[in-house]
């Protein structure tokens, strides 16, 4: 079946360091990928997205990389801050309809 | 612009009872989605409305779950009768059109005892 999975369930980084969260997806038909951040008691919050015709997209302090050859997605957070502590989900979407989420990675930022 | 709101924030019910969750999407958003996350698992798609019509309900687990969106505004998700495995967090999301960015509500935490 379709699935999006995460390599690491937890990630601990020092404040100021860069964070890299990885994700594997299985459906080669997926044409849109999203990273969400979820803080305690809140719903997933959109961070950044990328379409399948791109391999890199940058936002403010965040970069998403897409490798379609190996079906791999990553989220890079530069100069990680305590406020970045949350659970991060990668997700894939086919044709703009349902979104398939990965299991999530918890990011801990140590001061 | 107000975000997606969900009610209640928490619900504790006994097995066999009925619960109705409500979602108010962002005003003007025709697309409304329901998702849920059960303990330790990933967030799973349940269904997708376009206005009042069900576009895709392939994620609905069984016929104990009934979603409605009368008038194409708010939506309700009823679970009847509730089972223990229905416990989890139910999220609603909306988007303006079939573009991809979905805005999520804070979720309803459902506990079935």
């Amino acid at each position: 079946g379709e699935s999006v999975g995460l390599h690491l369930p937890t990630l601990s980084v020092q404040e100021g360091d860069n964070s890299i969260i990885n994700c594997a997806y299985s459906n080669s038909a997926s044409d849109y990928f999203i990273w969400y951040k979820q803080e305690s008691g809140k719903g997933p919050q959109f961070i950044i997205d990328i379409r399948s015709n791109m391999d890199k997209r940058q936002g403010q302090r965040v970069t998403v990389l897409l490798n379609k050859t190996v079906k791999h997605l990553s989220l890079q957070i530069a100069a990680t801050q305590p406020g970045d502590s949350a659970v991060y989900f990668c997700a894939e979407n086919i044709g703009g309809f349902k979104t398939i989420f990965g299991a999530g990675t918890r990011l801990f930022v140590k001061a | 612009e107000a975000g997606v709101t969900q009610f209640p924030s928490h619900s504790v019910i006994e097995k066999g009872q009925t619960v109705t969750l409500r979602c108010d999407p962002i005003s003007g958003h025709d697309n409304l989605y329901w998702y849920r996350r059960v303990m330790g698992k990933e967030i799973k798609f349940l269904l997708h409305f376009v206005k009042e019509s069900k576009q895709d309900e392939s994620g609905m687990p069984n016929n104990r779950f009934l979603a409605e969106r009368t008038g194409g505004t708010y939506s309700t998700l009823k679970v009847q009768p509730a089972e223990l495995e229905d416990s989890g967090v139910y999220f609603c999301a909306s988007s303006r059109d079939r573009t991809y960015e979905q805005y999520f509500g804070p979720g309803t935490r459902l506990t079935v005892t």
Side-chain angles (χ1 to χ4, degrees), chain B residues 1 25 41 86 88 90 108:
Chain B
E1 175 178 81
K41 301 270 182 78
D86 300 332
Y90 289 76
T108 293

Side-chain angles (χ1 to χ4, degrees), chain B residues 13-93:
Chain B
I13 61 172
E14 294 182 353
K15 176 182 173 181
Q17 289 186 322
T18 298
V19 62
T20 300
L21 313 180
R22 172 171 171 144
C23 168
D24 286 78
I26 293 172
S27 179
H29 282 194
D30 287 340
N31 293 264
L32 186 149
Y33 310 81
W34 282 98
Y35 297 86
R36 75 171 180 177
R37 185 180 189 198
V38 296
M39 187 63 67
K41 301 270 182 78
E42 64 269 27
I43 298 173
K44 290 275 198 182
F45 167 85
L46 296 178
L47 87 161
H48 169 206
F49 282 100
V50 177
K51 296 185 179 178
E52 68 274 10
S53 300
K54 292 176 184 175
Q55 179 73 37
D56 179 357
E57 52 183 332
S58 62
M60 295 288 266
N62 51 62
N63 59 10
R64 294 186 295 103
F65 289 75
L66 175 64
E68 295 180 319
R69 193 183 181 194
T70 305
T73 54
Y74 71 91
S75 175
T76 58
L77 179 64
K78 179 189 288 187
V79 185
Q80 179 182 30
E83 298 289 344
L84 298 178
E85 63 265 25
D86 300 332
S87 296
V89 182
Y90 289 76
F91 293 104
C92 175

Side-chain angles (χ1 to χ4, degrees), chain A residues 34-111:
Chain A
I34 316 104
W35 280 100
Y36 288 95
K37 172 185 180 183
Q38 187 179 14
E39 297 173 286
S40 180
K42 298 181 180 179
Q45 177 186 5
F46 173 92
I47 302 173
I48 191 168
D49 59 3
I50 188 168
R51 301 194 186 277
S52 58
N53 60 352
M54 303 170 67
D55 55 20
K56 180 179 180 179
R57 188 159 189 230
Q58 287 184 293
Q60 187 175 16
R61 284 202 306 118
V62 294
T63 300
V64 56
L65 299 178
L66 174 63
N67 185 330
K68 294 182 289 294
T69 302
V70 295
K71 296 179 185 171
H72 185 266
L73 194 67
S74 69
L75 176 70
Q76 300 178 0
I77 304 173
T80 312
Q81 302 170 359
D84 295 327
S85 293
V87 177
Y88 290 81
F89 295 94
C90 65
E92 62 181 314
N93 187 291
I94 303 172
F97 293 108
K98 67 179 180 182
T99 298
I100 301 168
F101 283 82
T105 293
R106 184 173 295 279
L107 176 66
F108 290 102
V109 181
K110 297 177 288 187

